[in-house]
Amino acid sequence: MKLGIYGGTFNPPHLGHLAAAQFALDALKLDELRFVPAATPPHKALPAGGPTPKQRLEMTALAADGLLQPKKVKVSGMELDRSGKSYTADTLEQLKEKDPSAELWLLMGTDMFLTLQNWHDPETITRLAGLCTFARTQSDSGEALAIQAEYLQKTFGARTCVLQLPHIVDVSSTQLRELLAQGKGQEYLAPAVYGYIIRHGLYGVHLDLKHLPDRELRACSYSMIRAKRIAHVKGTEEEAVRLARRWGADEEKARRGAILHDCTKYWDMEEQLRTCEKYGIVLDDLERQAVKLLHAKTGACVARDVYGVDDDVYEAIFWHTTGKADMTLLEKILYIADYMEPNRDFPGVERLRELAYQDLDQAVLLGNEMSIQEMEERGLPVHINTVRSRDWLRSKQNGKEP
């Protein structure tokens, strides 16, 4: 296995780190790239009042999740698990001990490459791993790097590689921390990382979570889910706003409900149940067994308690998975937008999309019926509220008292 090791403080991880990682993954034909945030960097003191090592690890994981080949990218907390300073030589020895056949490549910026002989135990580093440096500008890849590469080869027998990055993100973590404290710099961060910073009040970013602008609310939502889910959330937002415009609902409420509707999607059962208990949500037997049914309820609670959405938005999020009898206009919009947003692809979805702009009740009814049919075909129990939603809409359609 060809394994790239990308260490650093990642304080915070920014788009420059991601561009370098993605380029190295392709250029070196790595089987895996592993980010390894340092707990206690030996070469510099971390700024006071900054994020904890665990928070830097979590931000790095959010950043790495958005790379083009997420299955080839991992984030390791191995240096956080060790006591003392985070020496690269120790990390490489650990990795080599675990997988003696692995071909290791240590990824680093030009400043690190030019001073590697001054690191702790450079002999071990160069024995265990090849050295790959990122040149951010044409001048970076000039004479100094060539001289250093030759020196490291002659002195330590090092394998070296210089990669000229095609896309430059001209910011350092130090500069970015200063910008964030001034309310700037968001363009240098993956939205999920920016959302994490907002949620935890890092780097002097102290915003009122209950009154966030849409961009910041999106960032917070994206920081709570997997990168692969973001396209669905974006699609649901776009569809909910279009439907609200078509049917005369409040577009901003539809937007914010859609942005937050899946914010607890990736919580495990324990956290879902704990949150339901905290907010006094009574669960039936099926809900206590099916974790997929709980994120609508816990997401609604987080949306209202943390992000300050109105009660009608809370209700729309609460019912967006199962539906219920006699839904409000906003509840129907979020239910059907989630069901048939542009990224969805299943038999019947085009008919659902047509109906949503012709007869919203008929679209919700069809969505109920399709959900019930799917669950029955899979031999899974159907939630009673989906059945009640279907029956209520059928009665209304037939002119009977629901």
Side-chain angles (χ1 to χ4, degrees):
M1 180 178 69
K2 199 172 186 180
L3 173 61
I5 308 300
Y6 196 175
T9 56
F10 300 113
N11 190 26
H14 54 69
L15 296 183
H17 295 128
L18 299 185
Q22 186 65 61
F23 191 68
L25 193 61
D26 299 331
L28 293 176
K29 296 181 172 54
L30 299 175
D31 297 300
E32 182 182 313
L33 187 148
R34 198 171 302 177
F35 288 89
V36 184
T40 307
H43 60 289
K44 61 181 176 181
L46 291 170
T52 65
K54 182 175 182 292
Q55 288 174 327
R56 288 188 288 106
L57 180 72
E58 290 174 346
M59 284 190 286
T60 306
L62 285 170
D65 190 40
L67 287 170
L68 295 179
Q69 298 163 282
K71 291 183 179 180
K72 287 190 172 185
V73 180
K74 294 182 180 178
V75 178
S76 171
M78 60 188 300
E79 292 191 354
L80 278 63
D81 296 333
R82 291 201 312 258
S83 59
K85 293 184 177 181
S86 302
Y87 289 121
T88 299
D90 296 340
T91 297
L92 296 176
E93 285 186 321
Q94 266 189 270
L95 292 169
K96 201 66 173 178
E97 183 178 353
K98 186 174 182 180
D99 188 355
S101 64
E103 179 186 342
L104 304 182
W105 280 88
L106 184 63
L107 314 179
M108 65 188 73
T110 54
D111 290 346
M112 296 294 97
F113 183 75
L114 291 171
T115 59
L116 188 125
Q117 63 272 19
N118 301 322
W119 289 23
H120 171 76
D121 200 356
E123 292 84 3
T124 295
I125 293 172
T126 52
R127 175 173 55 84
L128 295 177
L131 308 176
C132 177
T133 184
F134 305 117
R136 296 196 306 161
T137 66
Q138 289 295 335
S139 59
D140 277 346
S141 58
E143 187 177 3
L145 290 179
I147 292 172
Q148 175 69 351
E150 183 179 1
Y151 169 78
L152 293 173
Q153 291 163 10
K154 288 182 177 180
T155 307
F156 303 106
R159 293 171 291 136
T160 63
C161 174
V162 177
L163 296 181
Q164 178 70 52
L165 296 179
H167 304 294
I168 307 303
V169 180
D170 193 17
V171 70
S172 69
S173 292
T174 300
Q175 293 169 329
L176 184 50
R177 290 194 296 271
E178 294 172 353
L179 288 171
L180 288 169
Q182 300 167 21
K184 305 174 184 178
Q186 301 90 337
E187 66 272 20
Y188 296 113
L189 294 165
V193 175
Y194 181 46
Y196 186 98
I197 289 169
I198 294 170
R199 287 168 50 216
H200 294 273
L202 304 176
Y203 307 115
V205 178
H206 300 298
L207 302 180
D208 182 356
L209 296 184
K210 291 185 182 294
H211 298 91
L212 291 174
D214 291 341
R215 181 185 67 172
E216 281 68 21
L217 188 67
R218 286 189 198 96
C220 289
S221 172
Y222 299 167
S223 75
M224 298 176 70
I225 59 178
R226 295 292 305 277
K228 64 183 181 181
R229 195 73 184 172
I230 291 175
H232 166 71
V233 174
K234 287 181 176 179
T236 303
E237 177 190 345
E238 293 164 4
E239 200 66 63
V241 171
R242 283 193 291 265
L243 286 168
R245 189 175 302 128
R246 168 66 179 87
W247 297 108
D250 188 310
E251 292 181 26
E252 187 59 18
K253 289 187 175 184
R255 180 187 304 282
R256 294 174 83 82
I259 289 171
L260 292 169
H261 81 283
D262 272 353
C263 66
T264 60
K265 181 79 174 180
Y266 292 94
W267 286 7
D268 61 21
M269 178 61 89
E270 182 181 353
E271 191 166 12
Q272 300 281 4
L273 292 175
R274 186 168 59 247
T275 302
C276 287
E277 183 177 359
K278 173 183 176 181
Y279 288 100
I281 297 171
V282 178
L283 302 175
D284 59 33
D285 291 341
L286 176 56
E287 289 166 338
R288 289 194 170 277
Q289 300 298 321
V291 68
K292 289 184 178 181
L293 293 176
L294 299 184
H295 78 278
K297 301 179 183 332
T298 57
C301 294
V302 169
R304 184 171 62 182
D305 189 52
V306 178
Y307 298 107
V309 303
D310 294 335
D311 287 346
D312 51 353
V313 179
Y314 165 91
E315 294 290 341
I317 296 173
F318 195 94
W319 298 110
H320 85 267
T321 298
T322 62
K324 71 178 182 71
D326 195 14
M327 285 194 281
T328 66
L329 176 58
L330 187 60
E331 289 163 3
K332 293 173 187 175
I333 285 172
L334 188 55
Y335 175 86
I336 207 65
D338 173 58
Y339 209 126
M340 56 83 164
E341 56 91 7
N343 297 287
R344 298 289 199 190
D345 184 16
F346 55 85
V349 70
E350 292 301 331
R351 176 57 180 156
L352 200 60
R353 288 170 180 147
E354 291 174 9
L355 270 180
Y357 289 89
Q358 296 169 1
D359 187 325
L360 189 58
D361 279 355
Q362 285 298 305
V364 174
L365 175 57
L366 179 58
N368 293 161
E369 291 171 341
M370 293 171 78
S371 293
I372 291 169
Q373 180 180 352
E374 179 189 4
M375 299 301 282
E376 289 176 343
E377 288 175 352
R378 294 169 60 187
L380 298 173
V382 178
H383 195 273
I384 187 61
N385 281 316
T386 306
V387 176
R388 288 170 177 165
S389 177
R390 179 201 63 184
D391 293 347
W392 195 93
L393 289 166
R394 281 180 175 177
S395 296
K396 183 180 179 183
Q397 173 182 286
N398 295 330
K400 300 178 181 179
E401 188 69 27

